[in-house]
């Protein structure tokens, strides 16, 4: 996705947390899907990766919520600051070997 200079890449993860949990600040556990989002920014380009753990029958709902959060293209943060972005592509991926321990911790939570 693209984000103007000065935009907060952490807002993307917050938008996903709002979609999955109702707010970026909540008591554990996550009500729908324990998750972790990592953003890597290079200039205006932000690559986002979200790991989540959910029962198979809830996977479609979780994916739809994540997709809708990213398609919303904006988040108003805790201090009233608006961060905007443009989703370019989104697709499911496979869990990478180096992510397997983290995913197991999400499953256990």
């Amino acid at each position: 996705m693209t984000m103007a200079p000065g935009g907060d890449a952490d807002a993307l993860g917050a938008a996903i947390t709002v979609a999955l949990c109702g707010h970026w600040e909540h008591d554990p556990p996550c009500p729908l899907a324990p998750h972790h989002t990592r953003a890597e920014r290079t200039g205006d380009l932000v690559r986002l990766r979200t790991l989540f753990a959910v029962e198979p029958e809830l996977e479609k709902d979780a994916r739809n919520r994540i997709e809708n959060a990213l398609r919303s293209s904006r988040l108003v943060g805790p201090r009233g600051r608006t961060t905007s972005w443009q989703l370019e592509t989104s697709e499911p991926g496979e869990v990478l070997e180096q992510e397997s321990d983290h995913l197991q911790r999400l499953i256990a939570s």
Side-chain angles (χ1 to χ4, degrees):
M1 66 195 68
T2 56
M3 181 179 287
D8 183 3
D10 290 340
L12 300 165
I16 290 171
T17 300
V18 169
L20 294 175
C21 304
H23 198 277
W24 58 77
E25 291 181 358
H26 66 86
D27 292 328
C30 296
L32 175 63
H35 60 283
H36 172 77
T37 301
R38 181 182 76 239
E40 295 178 4
R41 185 173 188 150
T42 305
D44 291 350
L45 179 64
V46 180
R47 292 184 54 98
L48 199 66
R49 182 136 174 103
T50 300
L51 292 175
F52 65 94
V54 67
E55 296 297 328
E57 64 272 14
L58 299 175
E59 180 180 358
K60 184 176 180 181
D61 181 36
R63 288 190 185 281
N64 285 338
R65 289 176 185 222
I66 292 168
E67 182 82 15
N68 289 337
L70 296 176
R71 289 196 183 286
S72 73
S73 299
R74 66 187 292 257
L75 179 81
V76 179
R79 292 179 207 93
R81 179 178 175 210
T82 300
T83 298
S84 300
W85 60 86
Q86 180 63 45
L87 179 64
E88 303 294 328
T89 63
S90 173
E91 58 189 59
E94 298 295 321
V95 176
L96 304 175
E97 185 176 329
Q98 63 266 31
E99 297 171 325
S100 61
D101 287 345
H102 194 161
L103 185 58
Q104 289 305 314
R105 288 191 301 275
L106 291 174
I107 291 169
S109 62

